[in-house]
Amino acid sequence: MEPILKVQALHKHFNVRAGLFRSKQFNAVSDVSFCLGKGETLAIIGETGSGKSTLGKILAGADTASSGQILLDGQIIEDGGKRVENSKDIRLIFQDPMKSLNPSNTIGSILGEILVLNTDLDKRQRRERINQTLLNVGLLAEHRNYYAHMFSGGQIQRVALARAIILDPKILVLDEALSSLDPSVRAQTVNLLLRLQRETGLSYILITNHLSLVKHMSDSLLLLHKGKVVEYGETHQVFAKPQTKLAERMLAN
């Protein structure tokens, strides 16, 4: 079966200052390739500075690669450092959703603006889509009238999830989106994500070093070190027989 997402030889470099009049090239992501199947979860792990978040932003279109290709459902969406298509099918959820929610707008207004910009739905249809999306993530339709500060930490993460799925994407990139939640709220959110995956066929890219989440949620695992892939395979196989010392050390924590 054709993978829903195929990443080929992705590179991302930055020019950083190396002196008063000199700069040098810093490779944040180097020759990264992987595939993701429909309804599956890929976990991306690695130490701080390994390139995890940079890779996540590139996949979601929040940044562009320097070279390489990204294919979604067999169609090229990024090629040679240019975004060919700004796909609404890959959405990004950050660790702290409060920073990306306008505190002066209701949740209904925030979700409605996304629909106005990206769909041809009329006002009634937008209202119905907002209500249904809030229900799908375990909130109430009435929550559309609330402001961000009126929600608990777990609820605000559900709002972020609602915002991510309201356009019916195919892939969600979860960049440390579960790490800061307390254990009980995290468990509820994971169960919600797994339910949505079963019901809709959503695919996830889970960026985290929380190994219990990796084991529980992911089908495959990619380990980055200084922007390079040092381990990639089915999660249970990588945990059972890591091929590198770095993987042994990280997976033993």
Side-chain angles (χ1 to χ4, degrees):
M1 184 181 293
E2 181 76 16
I4 192 169
L5 183 70
K6 191 172 184 180
V7 174
Q8 300 181 148
L10 213 63
H11 293 259
K12 176 67 176 183
H13 62 256
F14 300 96
N15 290 321
V16 295
R17 180 174 289 183
L20 189 58
F21 301 108
R22 292 187 303 113
S23 65
K24 65 178 180 179
Q25 186 170 290
F26 168 70
N27 295 314
V29 175
S30 300
D31 196 27
V32 171
S33 300
F34 63 85
C35 294
L36 175 66
K38 179 179 172 63
E40 294 184 350
T41 298
L42 167 71
I44 300 177
I45 68 172
E47 298 166 316
T48 301
S50 63
K52 304 188 303 293
S53 290
T54 299
L55 178 57
K57 289 176 184 176
I58 293 170
L59 296 173
D63 199 353
T64 55
S66 302
S67 62
Q69 279 190 338
I70 303 174
L71 293 88
L72 181 67
D73 270 341
Q75 302 295 313
I76 296 173
I77 62 170
E78 181 155 334
D79 188 19
K82 293 183 179 180
R83 200 73 173 187
V84 177
E85 180 182 339
N86 287 321
S87 176
K88 306 177 190 71
D89 288 323
I90 306 178
R91 306 283 286 175
L92 179 64
I93 302 179
F94 292 106
Q95 181 174 359
D96 184 2
M98 285 294 287
K99 291 181 179 179
S100 57
L101 293 172
N102 188 332
S104 62
N105 288 347
T106 64
I107 299 308
S109 297
I110 292 170
L111 298 178
E113 184 177 9
I114 295 171
L115 296 176
V116 169
L117 294 174
N118 295 284
T119 73
D120 296 322
L121 299 177
D122 61 30
K123 187 174 181 179
R124 179 185 60 80
Q125 291 170 323
R126 291 196 300 271
R127 185 183 179 91
E128 290 176 355
R129 175 76 70 87
I130 291 167
N131 289 350
Q132 187 57 54
T133 302
L134 290 172
L135 292 173
N136 286 345
V137 299
L139 295 172
L140 302 174
E142 291 75 20
H143 281 132
R144 67 179 181 273
N145 299 316
Y146 285 38
Y147 294 87
H149 72 271
M150 300 168 72
F151 291 95
S152 68
Q155 287 177 321
I156 205 67
Q157 200 60 276
R158 289 173 185 249
V159 170
L161 182 56
R163 187 175 60 170
I165 68 170
I166 198 163
L167 295 178
D168 294 326
K170 297 175 180 178
I171 300 170
L172 291 186
V173 179
L174 303 157
D175 188 2
E176 299 286 4
L178 305 173
S179 301
S180 62
L181 301 175
D182 67 60
S184 62
V185 174
R186 186 188 304 126
Q188 293 171 12
T189 307
V190 167
N191 289 336
L192 171 60
L193 289 167
L194 293 175
R195 176 178 64 78
L196 288 172
Q197 190 170 53
R198 288 193 303 271
E199 292 175 353
T200 67
L202 260 172
S203 299
Y204 298 136
I205 293 176
L206 177 67
I207 300 173
T208 185
N209 282 333
H210 202 293
L211 296 183
S212 63
L213 284 177
V214 173
K215 286 181 178 179
H216 184 55
M217 290 187 67
S218 70
D219 302 284
S220 54
L221 169 63
L222 186 147
L223 170 58
L224 287 178
H225 178 64
K226 295 183 178 179
K228 297 180 179 180
V229 178
V230 295
E231 200 97 21
Y232 173 51
E234 293 182 13
T235 299
H236 66 92
Q237 291 182 344
V238 175
F239 271 91
K241 292 185 178 180
Q243 300 299 304
T244 63
K245 292 291 184 183
L246 176 63
E248 284 183 6
R249 177 169 56 80
M250 284 205 66
L251 299 179
N253 290 339

